Amino acid sequence: MKHEAKNFNHLLGKLAGFSEKMLTAHFTLYAGYAKKLNEIEEKLAKADKTLANYSFGEFSELKRREAVAFNGTYLHELYFEAMNSKKTEASGALKKAIDESFGNWDEMVKDMKATASSTPGWVLLTYSKVDKKLHTYIMFEHHIGLPAHQEIILALDCWEHAFMIDYGIGKADYLTAYFAAVDWSIVSKRFEHAMKNQMV
Ligand SMILES: [Fe+2]
């Protein structure tokens, strides 16, 4: 299939703490990943599999970067799609899971912020099919670090491009703005869906 970057221009001027300049630059980077994903998939379809090699080979190099472009595309969608100027509340089920997994809501936010301080990449809030609880994990680059059996319900972009235009090195202020922009109704829908997927 051909991957197409979605249009998130409806967010411009709507998110407190996210300038149009920063969001527009971010949308451009996101679209670049979708373009590269198409390019990688097209080249993989034609690459000679008999020349695959751990040290170097066209198929092997493309295969090694495939998940970068894939997650570079779809993690950004998880990020932008769960942002909104509307102040929405998490569902009762999600709030209960947060309490059971982290102790309380504030501890979940504290955990995500501490995890954000630990990586230049992504912070993911996941539903684990292993212990049926919520967890935070770090994803380096776009593709390294996600444990098995996780359903992503929130993806927080902590790459410098996500905040430096507006905040410089003030990552903590970016995180404050981010949590004010999260659309918890979307996260609740993802959680509801994630719970239906169990280990088989
Ligand atoms: Fe990003």
Side-chain angles (χ1 to χ4, degrees):
M1 72 175 257
K2 189 147 171 73
H3 304 273
E4 301 265 3
K6 292 183 180 173
N7 187 326
F8 291 108
N9 284 342
H10 61 276
L11 296 175
L12 295 175
K14 296 277 167 45
L15 300 177
F18 291 77
S19 70
E20 292 199 14
K21 186 182 175 192
M22 186 166 80
L23 282 174
T24 303
H26 208 166
F27 297 158
T28 303
L29 285 172
Y30 150 62
Y33 285 112
K35 201 171 160 215
K36 277 291 167 196
L37 177 55
N38 289 322
E39 193 182 327
I40 288 171
E41 288 187 351
E42 280 160 26
K43 287 188 174 167
L44 270 173
K46 292 178 200 151
D48 187 345
K49 293 184 178 70
T50 65
L51 300 176
N53 182 281
Y54 176 67
S55 296
F56 174 76
E58 188 192 6
F59 176 86
S60 307
E61 289 303 326
L62 289 163
K63 208 67 194 162
R64 285 192 271 263
R65 300 307 285 175
E66 184 181 21
V68 174
F70 190 94
N71 282 0
T73 303
Y74 291 102
L75 284 178
H76 276 113
E77 290 185 8
L78 287 167
Y79 173 73
F80 291 127
E81 282 172 352
M83 294 174 104
N84 210 313
S85 56
K86 288 186 273 181
K87 300 283 176 208
T88 56
E89 282 227 358
S91 66
L94 178 56
K95 281 182 184 168
K96 186 168 173 267
I98 285 171
D99 288 348
E100 286 170 359
S101 305
F102 296 96
N104 58 51
W105 185 274
D106 290 345
E107 284 300 318
M108 176 275 290
V109 174
K110 207 186 281 180
D111 189 306
M112 282 199 77
K113 286 184 175 178
T115 308
S117 296
S118 312
T119 179
W122 291 87
V123 173
L124 305 176
L125 179 64
T126 71
Y127 170 73
S128 172
K129 289 180 277 187
V130 177
D131 64 5
K132 299 179 176 49
K133 286 194 168 183
L134 300 173
H135 292 263
T136 53
Y137 288 112
I138 285 171
M139 185 93 93
F140 290 99
E141 283 197 60
H142 297 298
H143 64 312
I144 302 166
L146 182 64
H149 297 303
Q150 306 300 312
E151 296 282 339
I152 300 168
I153 64 167
L154 187 61
L156 161 56
D157 195 338
C158 289
W159 282 61
E160 290 177 343
H161 66 247
F163 62 89
M164 283 200 90
I165 290 175
D166 288 354
Y167 295 96
I169 58 170
K171 199 176 190 180
D173 293 332
Y174 160 66
L175 293 172
T176 300
Y178 172 74
F179 278 99
V182 173
D183 184 342
W184 291 103
S185 68
I186 299 286
V187 184
S188 299
K189 270 185 204 151
R190 289 177 185 162
F191 174 63
E192 199 180 311
H193 181 75
M195 281 194 303
K196 290 176 188 156
N197 297 330
Q198 296 301 331
M199 284 171 76
V200 286

